[in-house]
Amino acid sequence: MKFLAVCGSGLGTSFMVEMNINQILNELGVTGVEVSHSDLSSATPGDADVFFLAKDIAEGGAHLGEIVVMDSIIDMDELRTKVKQVVEEKGLV
């Protein structure tokens, strides 16, 4: 299973989200998920199974496939809830 954190430009924001996703997966005891990051213009549908995007770029990332839209990229509680929901839906916990 692959997760990709995507930001609009540059890689700092998506790298931060990647690290936060990894932290949450560790907290949940989930293994076997590869997490990476990319900017929106470089991301392609084959890069991941699930894409995490901020709401301001969600429309531009709709072509990627399964996307998780975050209202706030710095809200750990929101990210924790959404990551937990995805891993439960995928049968990873």
Side-chain angles (χ1 to χ4, degrees):
M1 177 72 52
K2 293 182 182 179
F3 290 174
L4 188 68
V6 181
C7 64
S9 62
L11 297 173
T13 303
S14 58
F15 182 58
M16 178 190 71
V17 175
E18 174 190 347
M19 291 188 310
N20 289 341
I21 291 172
N22 276 317
Q23 177 184 333
I24 293 165
L25 291 172
N26 287 335
E27 290 171 4
L28 295 173
V30 175
T31 59
V33 177
E34 178 185 327
V35 185
S36 56
H37 66 280
S38 176
D39 62 285
L40 182 57
S41 63
S42 299
T44 64
D47 290 341
D49 301 296
V50 182
F51 298 84
F52 289 80
L53 294 84
K55 68 179 178 181
D56 62 327
I57 63 167
E59 187 175 317
H63 70 284
L64 294 172
E66 184 174 348
I67 63 170
V68 175
V69 179
M70 299 174 292
D71 291 324
S72 170
I73 59 166
I74 60 172
D75 183 345
M76 281 295 285
D77 290 331
E78 177 190 8
L79 186 59
R80 187 174 287 107
T81 297
K82 292 187 174 184
V83 168
K84 186 175 181 184
Q85 180 179 4
V86 169
V87 297
E88 286 174 351
E89 287 173 359
K90 302 291 183 190
L92 301 172
V93 290

